[in-house]
């Protein structure tokens, strides 16, 4: 008998066919996140849970107790802060994620946010479409900031950080500073990236990109003190997780013009609440957590998660083990 796998993420026929060769696949086919009580019911006898950061909710002690046969939980995401890794280790459940296949796509998004915030693309697009571009428009009022030849500070120099650094160095002739738990000699050599402490990075960067995973150490790593250290002309970009920033401090920093603008893919609460003050600010570009959201990359991530699931359920080591 094939092992049962419950899937909460919408998979393609190709991914389903791959999983079905080795597993008995059951799926959530509703929209968005599966209701928790239904999930707990559906997984009570499965050996695999195939999920994602926004379709399956959190993996915690309650879920693990409720699904005693579980051997593997695969998330279609690189971030796995929705997993209680300690509890998974305790229950001897293997966790897997999907690094690498999304690096370039997330780096593209980080750069889109840098460019669109610096050159005020969203604000000026609205300006044109609302009919405000008239013959007496003051050209100076459309000025933004140069991205090329400026200084980019990357907090979290993992694979995605490196993909951002490559774009910065070779595409935009930028100086790259980085702050990371460990030094990355290769990134220093390849992109001329300069390792520095957080304070120096914040003080000297024109663009500060937050790319660190969310962990107890990085929770609200950027708050009021850090925004005060940034240049008044600085642009803050967050493509990591909303909780790596003290969002109220960000709102204050923008309201008090301590920084110039922000490009945000992630928010403390997602979906972001419609009355969040950030959404009213013309100097904030906001997108709905779309770092890896291209059809090609999401398919590659989905297949990678399927490979991880099947590996564990057929007695092999998964490619991307996290617990
Ligand atoms: C992930 O996969 O964790 C990222 O948030 C993609 O956007």
């Amino acid at each position: 008998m094939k092992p049962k796998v419950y899937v909460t993420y919408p998979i393609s026929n190709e991914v389903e066919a791959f999983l079905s060769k080795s597993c008995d696949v059951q799926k959530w086919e509703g929209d968005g996140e599966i209701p928790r009580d239904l999930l707990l019911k559906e997984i009570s006898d499965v050996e695999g849970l195939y999920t994602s950061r926004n379709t399956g909710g959190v993996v915690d002690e309650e879920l693990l107790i409720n699904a005693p046969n579980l051997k593997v939980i695969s998330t279609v995401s690189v971030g796995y802060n929705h997993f209680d890794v300690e509890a998974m280790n305790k229950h001897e459940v293997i966790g897997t994620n999907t690094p690498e296949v999304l690096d370039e796509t997330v780096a593209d998004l980080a750069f889109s946010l840098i460019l669109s915030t610096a050159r005020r693309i969203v604000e000026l697009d609205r300006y044109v479409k609302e009919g405000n571009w008239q013959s007496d428009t003051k050209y100076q009022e459309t000025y933004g900031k140069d991205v090329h030849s400026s200084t980019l500070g990357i907090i979290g120099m993992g694979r995605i950080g490196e993909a951002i650094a490559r774009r910065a160095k070779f595409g935009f002739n930028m100086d790259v500073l980085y702050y990371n738990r460990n030094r990355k000699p290769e990134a220093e050599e390849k992109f001329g990236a300069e390792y520095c402490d957080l304070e120096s990075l914040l003080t000297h960067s024109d663009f500060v990109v937050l790319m660190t995973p969310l962990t107890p150490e990085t929770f609200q790593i950027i708050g009021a003190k850090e925004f005060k250290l940034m240049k008044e002309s600085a642009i803050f970009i967050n493509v990591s997780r909303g909780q790596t920033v003290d969002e109220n401090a960000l709102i204050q920093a923008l309201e008090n013009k301590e920084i110039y603008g922000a490009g945000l893919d992630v928010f403390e609460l997602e979906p972001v609440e419609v009355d969040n003050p950030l959404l009213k600010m013309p100097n904030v570009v906001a997108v709905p957590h779309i770092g890896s959201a291209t059809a090609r990359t999401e398919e590659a991530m989905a297949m990678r998660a399927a490979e991880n699931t099947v590996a564990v359920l057929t007695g092999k080591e998964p490619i991307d083990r996290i617990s």
Side-chain angles (χ1 to χ4, degrees):
M1 224 168 55
K2 291 180 189 173
K4 274 192 195 166
V5 172
Y6 192 74
V7 175
T8 70
Y9 177 89
I11 47 174
S12 65
N13 293 340
E14 288 72 23
V15 174
E16 183 161 358
F18 176 81
L19 276 173
S20 300
K21 269 192 255 158
S22 320
C23 315
D24 170 7
V25 176
Q26 289 156 22
K27 296 186 293 183
W28 158 245
E29 297 198 276
D31 289 329
E33 190 167 320
I34 182 170
R36 178 78 173 180
D37 50 350
L38 180 60
L39 175 70
L40 294 185
K41 193 160 142 254
E42 297 284 15
I43 65 170
S44 59
D45 62 345
V46 303
E47 285 169 65
L49 173 59
Y50 177 105
T51 185
S52 77
R53 60 173 179 79
N54 55 4
T55 60
V58 294
V59 168
D60 55 9
E61 185 74 28
E62 179 196 37
L63 180 144
L64 294 162
I65 290 174
N66 186 76
N69 299 340
L70 264 180
K71 293 194 172 66
V72 59
I73 307 180
S74 300
T75 180
V76 185
S77 63
V78 66
Y80 52 89
N81 50 289
H82 51 300
F83 283 6
D84 180 341
V85 174
E86 212 178 294
M88 288 168 73
N89 283 332
K90 189 175 109 195
H91 288 268
E92 296 180 2
V93 173
I94 293 175
T96 72
N97 67 340
T98 60
E100 292 161 12
V101 288
L102 79 181
D103 297 348
E104 299 298 329
T105 301
V106 179
D108 282 351
L109 195 263
F111 248 90
S112 314
L113 290 172
I114 290 172
L115 289 163
S116 54
T117 312
R119 297 302 301 272
R120 301 168 56 198
I121 299 298
V122 176
E123 180 192 350
L124 294 174
D125 167 85
R126 205 168 293 148
Y127 177 86
V128 173
K129 289 178 182 167
E130 288 173 357
N132 298 314
W133 186 20
Q134 303 288 337
S135 50
D136 61 352
T137 291
K138 283 204 189 97
Y139 192 50
Q140 293 81 340
E141 285 177 6
T142 64
Y143 286 1
K145 298 207 167 294
D146 277 333
V147 174
H148 70 86
S149 312
S150 60
T151 300
L152 174 69
I154 302 174
I155 303 170
M157 189 62 113
R159 285 176 308 268
I160 301 174
E162 288 197 22
I164 296 171
R166 179 163 17 86
R167 284 161 176 72
K169 171 76 181 162
F170 300 116
F172 292 85
N173 190 35
M174 295 169 96
D175 290 329
V176 178
L177 307 176
Y178 78 100
Y179 170 72
N180 198 54
R181 254 185 323 184
N182 317 307
R183 270 184 92 144
K184 294 287 183 92
E186 264 191 39
E188 295 178 21
E189 205 175 301
K190 283 193 282 191
F191 318 120
E194 194 184 318
Y195 181 75
C196 57
D197 59 29
L198 185 57
E199 191 172 322
S200 313
L201 181 145
L202 296 171
T203 315
H204 293 107
S205 298
D206 299 305
F207 297 88
V208 174
V209 177
L210 191 50
M211 209 48 264
T212 178
L214 174 64
T215 64
E217 292 75 44
T218 63
F219 175 76
Q220 296 195 348
I221 187 172
I222 301 295
K225 177 171 145 258
E226 287 71 28
F227 285 118
K228 286 199 168 54
L229 287 170
M230 292 183 200
K231 296 181 184 178
E232 276 180 22
S233 56
I235 289 178
F236 173 70
I237 306 292
N238 192 3
V239 196
S240 63
R241 286 292 183 267
Q243 295 86 352
T244 52
V245 177
D246 176 346
E247 204 166 88
N248 284 328
L250 171 61
I251 294 167
Q252 292 288 309
L254 287 160
E255 279 175 350
N256 300 337
K257 302 203 176 344
E258 287 165 24
I259 60 171
Y260 177 83
L264 305 172
D265 182 37
V266 290
F267 296 85
E268 203 166 283
L269 196 68
E270 294 179 6
V272 63
E273 289 168 309
V274 284
D275 60 353
N276 186 318
L278 292 167
L279 306 190
K280 303 267 173 320
M281 299 181 183
N283 51 343
V284 170
V285 175
V287 290
H289 202 149
I290 55 165
S292 57
T294 67
R296 187 170 68 177
T297 292
E298 289 288 333
E299 179 65 8
M301 291 163 70
M303 190 53 95
R304 180 83 164 232
E307 285 164 7
N308 283 322
T309 303
V310 168
V312 176
L313 296 181
T314 54
K316 301 188 191 82
E317 188 58 23
I319 323 166
D320 311 298
R321 184 174 181 151
I322 55 182
S323 70

